[in-house]
């Protein structure tokens, strides 16, 4: 690299230095030379910055440099998900969670597969909840995941857990209800009905509405003991002898 050090625009010398660093396994120096070449070759900047960022991330472990190079790669190729994917890894490794969420948002805009979008949005929600102490942002992210992929289990589970923790049982019922009426297995749908019945009875003090859910569970799984037992307890407490006789008959 002496010729390049003397003249930073001397591309042949820079290419020679890159080849030598690669042969010697001098990863930090190689990444630096690639970044310098990227400044001289804007048409190839995205590829060069990406390679430099990967070296920082995977070889030298310089996370700050990795973020810098991968950010430059993403800026040079704004419609390419590759640099953003690597940038997300570097940001997560650094614990830069706000920047990570912003990067995942950019990835989401470039992702057209519904399952992948739902996964990205659920990941954003998990980061907001676990690392940013922002449950409202987490709820928005989980809901966005369900908007694009209704029934996406990781988002449903995370959102349900969050609603339970907050005591927002009406919102919890709203996400459980569609699962009870979808085209899934009858046993799974009956379980959702019983879950809603328990919430209506114990948390919201609406045993009459709970009866409707246990009745629906019995329609889906005739004779199932959990639904039968809960229905019996509710009817006894509500003092509905006719309905109880029908259930027992």
């Amino acid at each position: 690299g002496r010729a390049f050090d003397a003249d930073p625009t001397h591309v042949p010398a820079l290419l020679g230095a890159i080849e030598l660093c690669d042969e010697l396994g001098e990863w930090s120096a190689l990444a630096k030379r690639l970044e310098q070449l990227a400044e001289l070759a804007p048409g190839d900047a995205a590829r060069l910055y990406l390679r430099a960022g990967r070296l920082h991330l995977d070889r030298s472990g310089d996370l700050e440099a990795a973020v810098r190079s991968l950010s430059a790669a993403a800026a040079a190729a704004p419609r390419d998900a590759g640099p953003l994917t690597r940038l997300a890894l570097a940001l997560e490794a650094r614990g830069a969670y706000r920047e990570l969420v912003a990067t995942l948002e950019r990835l989401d805009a470039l992702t057209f597969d519904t399952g992948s979008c739902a996964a990205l949005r659920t990941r954003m929600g998990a980061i907001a909840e676990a690392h940013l102490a922002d449950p409202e942002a987490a709820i928005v992210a989980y809901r966005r995941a369900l908007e694009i992929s209704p029934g996406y289990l990781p988002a449903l589970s995370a959102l349900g857990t969050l609603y339970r923790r907050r005591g927002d049982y009406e919102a919890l019922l709203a996400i459980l209800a569609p699962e009870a009426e979808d085209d899934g297995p009858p046993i799974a749908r009956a379980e959702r009905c019983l879950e809603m019945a328990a919430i209506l009875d114990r948390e919201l003090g609406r045993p009459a509405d709970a009866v409707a859910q246990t009745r629906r569970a019995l329609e889906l799984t005739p004779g199932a003991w959990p639904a039968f037992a809960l229905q019996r307890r509710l009817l006894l407490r509500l003092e509905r002898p006719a309905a109880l006789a029908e259930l027992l008959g």
Side-chain angles (χ1 to χ4, degrees):
R2 288 183 182 176
F4 177 74
D5 290 337
D7 181 3
T9 64
H10 193 273
V11 174
L14 179 55
L15 291 172
I18 287 172
E19 185 176 351
L20 180 60
C21 289
D22 199 8
E23 290 176 359
L24 296 175
E26 296 180 355
W27 309 123
S28 294
L30 174 56
K32 179 181 177 182
R33 298 307 191 195
L34 289 168
E35 292 166 350
Q36 291 168 331
L37 182 58
E39 295 177 6
L40 301 176
D44 204 22
R47 183 185 68 83
L48 293 167
Y49 279 127
L50 177 59
R51 185 182 175 195
R54 291 173 64 181
L55 286 167
H56 287 309
L57 184 62
D58 301 332
R59 297 285 191 171
S60 72
D62 187 341
L63 296 177
E64 183 177 355
V67 169
R68 182 187 64 241
S69 293
L70 294 168
S71 296
R79 304 302 300 170
D80 186 351
L84 288 171
T85 300
R86 283 281 179 169
L87 178 58
L89 291 174
L91 290 168
E92 186 166 23
R94 284 194 74 194
Y97 293 110
R98 292 194 184 280
E99 294 84 352
L100 174 57
V101 169
T103 298
L104 294 176
E105 286 280 9
R106 293 168 65 188
L107 264 176
D108 180 56
L110 297 177
T111 304
F112 301 100
D113 174 71
T114 56
S116 297
C117 279
L120 279 171
R121 295 173 185 184
T122 301
R123 186 180 174 194
M124 284 186 263
I127 293 166
E129 188 176 356
H131 299 291
L132 301 179
D134 192 345
E136 296 300 332
I139 288 172
V140 170
Y142 295 142
R143 283 177 171 171
R144 288 180 62 221
L146 294 172
E147 284 173 6
I148 197 167
S149 183
Y152 184 67
L153 188 57
L156 277 172
S157 177
L159 189 56
T161 299
L162 190 51
Y163 282 150
R164 283 185 185 278
R165 192 180 303 139
R166 289 160 59 95
D168 193 348
Y169 294 108
E170 292 289 358
L172 180 57
L173 288 173
I175 65 170
L176 292 174
E179 291 188 74
E181 298 302 329
D182 63 14
D183 55 357
I187 291 177
R189 294 165 62 193
E191 287 175 350
R192 285 292 174 264
C193 290
L194 291 180
E195 188 174 354
M196 288 191 288
I199 293 168
L200 287 163
D201 181 35
R202 298 172 192 167
E203 307 298 344
L204 298 177
R206 291 158 50 188
D209 291 334
V211 166
Q213 293 299 329
T214 54
R215 183 180 298 116
R216 178 61 177 149
L218 284 169
E219 291 172 356
L220 290 165
T221 53
W225 174 253
F228 176 87
L230 181 54
Q231 179 83 321
R232 179 176 175 275
R233 287 198 300 271
L234 288 168
L235 292 175
L236 283 170
R237 194 186 331 144
L238 290 169
E239 299 180 350
R240 293 185 181 179
L244 184 60
E246 182 181 353
L247 175 69
L248 298 175

